[in-house]
Amino acid sequence: MKLFLFTIYILLIGLSACSHKTMNSYNPPQPRQVASGIIVQADQAKVLSMIRNYAQSRFYVLDETRADKGLLSFSVGVSDIAQYVDCGSRTAGYGGRFSSLKTSTSQAAAERYSLKYIDMEANKVVTEAVENGYNIKVGIICTPVEGGTLVDVNAQYTITGRKTIRARFKRTIATDYEVAFNSKTQPGVGGGMTCYSVGILEKDVLDWIMLHIKGAEANS
């Protein structure tokens, strides 16, 4: 009888261990199109001057100005790149047979986050910790056209990250990755995620130029 009860107990433990609910999924973003060009009724020199004022008003760092080529570029410092790009989200969770599933969701482009889930191969709860770093560089080309200047904005987004997997009694594994793309070549793919520009930065540049050109016209 004791042997029978012990066998039942072992079976229950095994069933409980195998019945962990498991979730570890990536939810990709929706594809996006970015409007990045306009024609304004102002000459090239005036537009370049306005863009320089725009960058300085936002405390961005001017990298290069080539007036002869109609080119200006600047770097954007951000603490939360999720304002400017959409890399989808990750959802993970775990729970036993007799407990509710504990889940958490994080933006894949967030500066840092951690998720817990069951590693089915090792049958252990693992922690996936992610740290992301960002770089945004904006290049703007101003080309003279009939009736004004064509302003073309191309923002370059670079996300560098490290994903660390930790589990009890299991070797810690760290993986580095990089995702690089721009307004013209999106999406960017890397680190198990897909990224698109949400178009906010490009729109901010173009809206600022249009607003100040209209203001200059009104004061002339």
Side-chain angles (χ1 to χ4, degrees), residues 101-117:
L101 184 65
K102 301 175 182 178
T103 65
S104 58
T105 299
S106 295
Q107 294 297 317
E111 183 178 5
R112 59 175 56 89
Y113 62 89
S114 62
L115 300 169
K116 286 185 178 182
Y117 56 89

Side-chain angles (χ1 to χ4, degrees), residues 153-181:
V153 180
N154 193 19
Q156 170 74 44
Y157 303 93
T158 304
I159 303 173
T160 54
R162 166 167 286 198
K163 179 169 67 175
T164 305
I165 303 294
R166 295 186 179 90
R168 190 179 183 188
F169 306 127
K170 189 175 181 180
R171 182 169 60 91
T172 297
I173 300 174
T175 304
D176 295 322
Y177 56 86
E178 179 178 287
V179 186
F181 65 103

Side-chain angles (χ1 to χ4, degrees), residues 117-216:
Y117 56 89
I118 297 293
D119 181 336
M120 295 303 291
E121 183 178 341
N123 194 27
K124 297 182 184 297
V125 176
V126 302
T127 299
E128 178 179 307
V130 175
E131 292 188 9
N132 287 316
Y134 320 115
N135 179 268
I136 302 177
K137 186 171 183 176
V138 180
I140 303 176
I141 297 178
C142 300
T143 307
V145 296
E146 185 177 352
T149 302
L150 171 62
V151 183
D152 190 45
V153 180
N154 193 19
Q156 170 74 44
Y157 303 93
T158 304
I159 303 173
T160 54
R162 166 167 286 198
K163 179 169 67 175
T164 305
I165 303 294
R166 295 186 179 90
R168 190 179 183 188
F169 306 127
K170 189 175 181 180
R171 182 169 60 91
T172 297
I173 300 174
T175 304
D176 295 322
Y177 56 86
E178 179 178 287
V179 186
F181 65 103
N182 59 52
S183 309
K184 312 293 185 184
T185 65
Q186 58 182 353
V189 179
M193 60 185 177
T194 300
C195 300
Y196 290 89
S197 166
V198 301
I200 288 180
L201 180 56
E202 295 87 343
K203 184 177 185 299
D204 188 49
V205 175
L206 298 176
D207 285 352
W208 197 93
I209 293 170
M210 290 298 296
L211 176 65
H212 285 75
I213 285 178
K214 289 180 180 179

Side-chain angles (χ1 to χ4, degrees), residues 22-38:
T22 305
M23 183 189 302
N24 181 24
S25 62
Y26 172 65
N27 311 302
Q30 292 295 318
R32 296 173 182 264
Q33 296 293 327
V34 176
S36 58
I38 57 171

Side-chain angles (χ1 to χ4, degrees), residues 58-128:
R58 298 292 195 274
F59 300 102
Y60 299 153
V61 179
L62 287 169
D63 295 320
E64 181 182 13
T65 302
R66 291 285 304 276
D68 58 322
K69 301 291 185 181
L71 170 67
L72 187 150
S73 64
F74 53 85
S75 296
V76 178
V78 297
S79 58
D80 181 14
I81 202 171
Q83 299 176 36
Y84 304 101
V85 303
D86 184 1
C87 296
S89 62
R90 298 189 189 280
T91 299
Y94 66 95
R97 183 180 181 185
F98 303 108
S99 64
S100 59
L101 184 65
K102 301 175 182 178
T103 65
S104 58
T105 299
S106 295
Q107 294 297 317
E111 183 178 5
R112 59 175 56 89
Y113 62 89
S114 62
L115 300 169
K116 286 185 178 182
Y117 56 89
I118 297 293
D119 181 336
M120 295 303 291
E121 183 178 341
N123 194 27
K124 297 182 184 297
V125 176
V126 302
T127 299
E128 178 179 307

